Amino acid sequence: MTETVTTRVSLGELRGRKGRTRADAPDAPDLGQDFWDKAKIVQPEPKKSVHLRVDADVLDFFKAQGKGHLTRMNAVLRSYVEARRGS
């Protein structure tokens, strides 16, 4: 099993890294022309707009984490669905 290494960085640090690869990053294998010849563009399914009532403290928790709180809430729901489906 390959060990996964996760490093936390600030947005400023990330912006500073733009266009640069870590010195210890592994080289990606050459995919070859055959890969690109067979590649297909896959569009994600469009999301549905819903009206959802949630407890105030739940919404406050996600909003306190900053911009993108609805996306994070969707990710939590997605994780729950996948766990229940056994995906």
Side-chain angles (χ1 to χ4, degrees):
M1 186 165 95
T2 304
E3 181 180 332
T4 301
V5 177
T6 303
T7 305
R8 289 184 181 263
V9 295
S10 69
L11 182 57
E13 290 172 312
L14 242 152
R15 285 186 176 140
R17 291 183 183 182
K18 190 172 184 179
R20 294 185 298 170
T21 302
R22 291 185 348 231
D24 63 339
D27 290 329
D30 182 11
L31 298 175
Q33 190 58 42
D34 188 50
F35 172 85
W36 297 109
D37 291 342
K38 294 179 181 178
K40 295 180 183 175
I41 295 175
V42 178
Q43 296 290 336
E45 291 292 320
K47 297 187 181 207
K48 291 187 179 182
S49 179
V50 298
H51 175 84
L52 177 67
R53 295 175 62 94
V54 297
D55 295 334
D57 62 322
V58 171
L59 182 60
D60 291 343
F61 173 82
F62 281 96
K63 286 180 102 173
Q65 296 176 40
K67 186 177 178 182
H69 64 281
L70 295 176
T71 299
R72 284 189 299 278
M73 291 172 77
N74 187 67
V76 169
L77 291 169
R78 163 72 47 211
S79 179
Y80 177 81
V81 168
E82 289 174 359
R84 296 292 292 186
R85 286 183 179 159
S87 300

